[in-house]
Amino acid sequence: MPAVRGDGMRGLAVFISDIRNCKSKEAEIKRINKELANIRSKFKGDKTLDGYQKKKYVCKLLFIFLLGHDIDFGHMEAVNLLSSNKYSEKQIGYLFISVLVNTNSDLIKLIIQSIKNDLASRNPIHVNLALQCIANIGSKEMAEAFGNEIPKLLVSGDTMDVVKQSAALCLLRLLRTAPDVVPGGEWTSRIVHLLNDQHLGVVTAAASLIDALVKRNPDEYKGCVSLAVSRLSRIVTSSYTDLQDYTYYFVPAPWLSVKLLRLLQNYTPPAEDPGVRGRLNECLETILNKAQEPPKSKKVQHSNAKNAVLFEAISLIIHNDSELPLSVRACNQLGQFLSNRETNLRYLALESMCHLATSELSHEAVKKHQEVVILSMKMEKDVSVRQQAVDLLYAMCDKSNAEEIVQEMLNYLETADYSIREEMVLKVAILAEKYATDYTWYVDVILNLIRIAGDYVSEEVWYRVIQIVINRDDVQGYAAKTVFEALQAPACHENMVKVGGYILGEFGNLIAGDQRSSPAVQFQLLHSKYHLCSPMTRALLLSTYIKFVNLFPEMRSQIQDVFRQHSNLRSADAELQQRASEYLQLSIIASSDVLATVLEEMPAFPERESSILAVLKRKKPGRVPENEIRESKSPAPNANHHAEAPASITGAVNNTSADLLSLSTPPSSQPTSNTGVLLDVLGDIYNMPNKVATNGAQNTYNPKKFVCKNNGVLFENDLIQIGVKSEFRQNLGRVGLFYGNKTQYALHSFQPQLSWSEENQQKLAVQVKPVDPVLEAGAQIQQMINAECIDDYSDAPSTIISFIYNNVPQKITMKLPLTINKFFEPTEMNGESFFARWKNLGGANQQRSQKIFKAQQPMDLAQVRTKLQGFGMQLLDGIDPNPDNFVCAGIVHMRAQQVGCLLRLEPNKQAQMFRLTVRSSKESMSVEICDLLVDQF
Amino acid sequence: MQFMLLFSRQGKLRLQKWYVAHPDKLKKKITRELITTILARKPKMSSFLEWKDVKVVYKRYASLYFCCAIEQNDNELLTLEIIHRYVELLDKYFGSSIRLLAQKHCILVCELDIIFNFEKAYFILDELLVGGEIQETSKKNVLKAIAAQDLLQEVSYGDVPIEL
């Protein structure tokens, strides 16, 4: 056992040794359980523990927790330690609660109080301990409790430097949970001026904070640009001895330099002040110059720190994108790194060049390195580096080098790592389409893709080639000929059969003149693959065959035989069976004119963004690989120009995937085609599983249920669970919605929006409290909704919840459980008065408030009872002569009036039918009540 | 930085520090998966990888892997140096400056130091990084702060400011 430092706890060391000596997992668990029992009894025991003992036990619990076991006690003891007057005990207390925060406990108030005391301490070590704890927990409560205090601490002249450093970063942490924690106004300039602080540690911490603040409000913090440039200028021109302790392996203040360079990337190059701009360019030049100097040390730390600054400077040059000489120098520098022996540098150089390639200024310069990059793709030992090379090739590709790059990527694909194949296939497909001047080349590339990496060719890719062939008549003959040849390979991928089947079905006639590809040969070739294919492909081939009947009438009887085969006509697969029988009938009954109309060539697809691009973008959210050359920026103040991108991406995904679904039923639902007859019969069941899958497996949303209950889970899918709790009194109601994020990522731009017209607001006034725009991973937030019933109304308000998950916008529309029956007050009544009123209210217009309907589930009167009770009216027993019938009475409360309402539900067990009658003095109300209850049973 | 993990070559987690709020279950899952991923990598590979939606920077010192998950915009190379600075601080604090930074036979000692004094390892990290950002890059200043804490350890104090 090594020596335990300082105030070491012997008991703890012994315990840790014991654990280490455990021979098996079971032994370890046993030892831990023993210890837990021991600690529990100590904590519960009569003897008061002294501070040291508490500290020791809390520390043991912490150790057990860090081993991966759950700890459910000890929090109170840890909180006690916070106010200990021994620093070591206090520190352990803080460590425990930082690691095992228990957010919902009552302890949080005690914790906050202790932190407050320490923050107010004159001892900076205590203040820092408190600040670090706030930063470690970083919760909303912390932001609320200390949001005022910390900014003061940060800018006050009395605060010591070490405290300022912690305060700056603590504030940064709180900013992430509570964006409005930092005050604006005069605070802004005081915070910005921290960049001028004497103490480099303070400047470094402040630079991180300012970077985050700038991202929120670039205009307000604009003043930081010139300060940052001056500071940077002073650092890069200093020698490594000037900055003493802030020099790291001969590199002056690398952390601060990087932070300043990053901060400047929030702005476009400072245009209005040429002096600042000039100075910044000088800094960047100096950094580039230094890269050429011989290293001051052989240590990797020296080169890492130096190159870290260099890469950040290059990022800024790429971001500014306004000085050609700088961009070219940056590119050359990166080019040198491409053949550096450090893998890390090659990796970063490829990544950085990828950004450079998308700039108009430097695109050409990047292209000079094409050969080296191709070599990297082929030769690098590390797959993550190869991946970067592929990304770069994709980014540097344009009309002039497309054929070569695509060819190299295709060659490499044969041996590429499985992990990157799918993405490469997408990239090749996109490049081939984008830069094709000759579409025969495009068709060749895609068929090669299927041949080389058929398993990785997603639907989108082969859908796309079909769309393009259909839209371009100059390539149709070539496509037919090429797929025909490709299909002759003894083993060809099923995706090839799909593409081949589809294209021959449309354009097989274009090559039928050649004896070698006569209709009969085409048909036999396709049909030889038929039995090896999945039902979906078979269904597609059946469509091809019926198209053949139209294209080549001489093939009719042979094809009818195929339709008639048992394996088709009586297939266990419903879709195959349906297609076989319908196509068979069509081929028998329809005249050749009808056939020609129904089976006409597919009309052109509307032009749109390649669906493949959308898939690629979706695969890499946050790191969208670009093959789009930006125009050089004119210097104008703006920031965060990337912010809007994700929305448009998914927009494209949604509409294209919807369109593409129709493709799997070839002669189908193009709105412009006149095949409408077939539309219904060919309803495409293959798409069903897809649709279900995208909606998530365990969707819950049944608003009807909430007519008869007030609490429960209103909506649930893979991402989110929305629970509801509501209470109503008289004409007022309060609904609490609980949004729970089920995912591992925060949901951003979270916004529930009420959908309830102005007109309806006059009848049911609904007021919705705003919620935070960020719903953290695994977190739950609550939203209160107040409602007042003013007049009678029908239906119920909805809420539309939009948010961004993983860069993909999501939208959920959900009915709120605010139907009019919620404002019922149950009314007791005896039989006599009930029937008296019943008759009274039985006016002429009863038709609309009486419904007869079939039971939705086997009739269960006990369940009906429960539901009626939940509905809000008083269930009156013993009134109706038929004991099976239900009668209810209630009063709906509205602001200015109350409407009495009676109801009678008569089950007919034999017919499994219900008759429901509602009577009230307001006809519209009776109708609504009746509608709400229909189909509930 | 989103989190930092220290684990041994055998895949035993030695220290974990989270700068983002995740439920415990998720933390365990991330830890497990990431450790497996990194242990499977070969020595000559780059220290960076794209993993899920974060960038991971890792480096092995003797028997210990130091691994940080950073944001897309963070600087990879400098993250390596944050790790190095932390290693230097641990070495300096726990005594002789061999150990992690030196030859293989001395190595176990340092991992043991971290195991037996895990709370110290956390305290040192808290002086280096706050909220996932570097607070103090000067080695001297961090060590001074830690020494000042140690000085306070057993002294029961009044509220007297200590000169740093």
Side-chain angles (χ1 to χ4, degrees), chain A residues 549-589:
Chain A
V549 171
N550 176 44
L551 291 178
F552 316 121
E554 70 271 26
M555 301 292 299
R556 178 192 294 240
S557 66
Q558 200 178 345
I559 285 170
Q560 283 173 341
D561 286 345
V562 172
F563 290 148
R564 274 197 203 98
Q565 276 165 8
H566 276 228
S567 55
N568 291 327
L569 208 50
R570 302 211 176 144
S571 167
D573 187 291
E575 177 74 10
L576 282 183
Q577 197 185 88
Q578 191 177 9
R579 286 197 191 198
S581 57
E582 283 168 4
Y583 289 159
L584 179 60
Q585 287 307 311
L586 189 65
S587 70
I588 294 170
I589 298 166

Side-chain angles (χ1 to χ4, degrees), chain B residues 2-29:
Chain B
Q2 297 197 358
F3 57 85
M4 185 192 251
L5 303 176
L6 262 69
F7 52 89
S8 70
R9 223 170 31 173
Q10 290 76 34
K12 284 239 183 208
L13 188 60
R14 295 302 181 204
L15 180 142
Q16 47 174 319
K17 185 80 187 179
W18 299 82
Y19 298 107
V20 285
H22 285 321
D24 281 342
K25 230 186 185 166
L26 177 59
K27 286 183 188 172
K28 280 186 186 164
K29 182 166 173 264

Side-chain angles (χ1 to χ4, degrees), chain A residues 5 68 85 88 91 126 136 165-166 245-246 248-249 259 262 301 304 308 312 344 382 744, chain B residues 17 28-29 41 44 46-47 73 75 81 84 88 93 115 133 135-136 138 140-141 149 153 157:
Chain A
R5 302 263 316 190
N85 61 0
S88 65
Q91 205 180 14
H126 290 189
N136 279 329
Q165 284 168 271
S166 295
D245 245 16
Y246 289 89
Y248 181 84
Y249 290 85
K259 284 197 187 300
R262 181 127 292 282
Q301 282 77 29
N304 276 353
E312 209 59 62
N344 286 344
D382 182 349
Q744 308 175 3
Chain B
K17 185 80 187 179
K28 280 186 186 164
K29 182 166 173 264
R41 288 175 63 88
K44 283 280 170 190
S46 84
S47 311
N73 287 334
N75 191 304
E81 294 320 300
H84 188 75
E88 286 180 339
Y93 184 80
I115 295 170
E133 296 286 335
Q135 168 176 241
E136 180 53 89
S138 153
K140 212 168 82 193
N141 289 353
Q149 287 175 15
Q153 288 296 2
Y157 53 82

Side-chain angles (χ1 to χ4, degrees), chain A residues 745-775:
Chain A
Y745 305 107
L747 306 179
H748 293 281
S749 309
F750 190 85
Q751 195 189 30
Q753 208 171 18
L754 185 73
S755 159
W756 190 234
S757 70
E758 265 311 305
E759 192 192 334
N760 277 327
Q761 280 281 3
Q762 306 298 320
K763 298 175 178 170
L764 175 76
V766 182
Q767 193 195 15
V768 179
K769 298 269 157 68
V771 292
D772 257 332
V774 179
L775 180 48

Side-chain angles (χ1 to χ4, degrees), chain A residues 690-881:
Chain A
N690 283 341
K691 282 184 193 156
V692 174
T694 51
N695 288 340
Q698 40 169 315
N699 279 5
T700 310
Y701 174 51
N702 185 1
K704 281 224 104 170
K705 262 167 108 176
F706 286 83
V707 169
C708 295
K709 63 179 197 175
N710 286 341
N711 305 327
V713 174
L714 189 53
F715 180 94
E716 178 160 12
N717 64 11
D718 283 344
L719 308 178
I720 194 166
Q721 186 193 57
I722 304 170
V724 65
K725 263 190 190 169
S726 42
E727 47 177 351
F728 295 87
R729 234 184 40 222
Q730 306 280 328
N731 69 326
L732 300 177
R734 264 160 68 84
V735 178
L737 291 178
F738 299 83
Y739 301 99
N741 178 355
K742 291 168 68 180
T743 71
Q744 308 175 3
Y745 305 107
L747 306 179
H748 293 281
S749 309
F750 190 85
Q751 195 189 30
Q753 208 171 18
L754 185 73
S755 159
W756 190 234
S757 70
E758 265 311 305
E759 192 192 334
N760 277 327
Q761 280 281 3
Q762 306 298 320
K763 298 175 178 170
L764 175 76
V766 182
Q767 193 195 15
V768 179
K769 298 269 157 68
V771 292
D772 257 332
V774 179
L775 180 48
E776 294 294 349
Q780 191 189 57
I781 50 173
Q782 184 186 356
Q783 181 183 38
M784 293 310 300
I785 296 174
N786 291 325
E788 186 193 357
C789 180
I790 302 170
D791 201 344
D792 88 78
Y793 62 97
S794 55
D795 205 359
S798 297
T799 176
I800 300 166
I801 300 144
S802 53
F803 55 88
I804 296 177
Y805 167 67
N806 215 349
N807 284 336
V808 182
Q810 308 278 343
K811 205 175 203 178
I812 295 165
T813 306
M814 177 181 87
K815 272 247 149 66
L816 291 170
L818 275 172
T819 42
I820 194 160
N821 63 299
K822 302 290 178 190
F823 300 96
F824 261 126
E825 186 193 3
T827 328
E828 274 292 356
M829 222 178 252
N830 62 25
E832 209 180 304
S833 54
F834 181 88
F835 281 110
R837 285 188 202 200
W838 182 260
K839 288 200 182 97
N840 242 339
L841 290 169
N845 285 330
Q846 281 178 35
Q847 296 301 327
R848 291 180 56 209
S849 55
Q850 184 172 78
K851 294 248 154 89
I852 297 169
F853 55 95
K854 206 159 175 55
Q856 304 286 304
Q857 49 230 341
M859 231 174 234
D860 174 358
L861 294 186
Q863 212 187 355
V864 173
R865 227 184 144 71
T866 322
K867 281 204 171 166
L868 280 176
Q869 274 160 350
F871 189 65
M873 297 173 87
Q874 183 69 45
L875 198 57
L876 304 170
D877 285 318
I879 287 185
D880 200 288

Side-chain angles (χ1 to χ4, degrees), chain A residues 1-14 16-17 52 55, chain B residues 93-94 112-113 115-120:
Chain A
M1 202 183 348
V4 178
R5 302 263 316 190
D7 61 315
M9 292 162 272
R10 226 193 122 63
L12 174 67
V14 170
I16 295 176
S17 292
Y52 170 79
K55 176 181 83 167
Chain B
Y93 184 80
F94 287 120
L112 280 183
D113 274 333
I115 295 170
F116 279 92
N117 301 287
F118 68 95
E119 78 283 10
K120 292 285 182 216

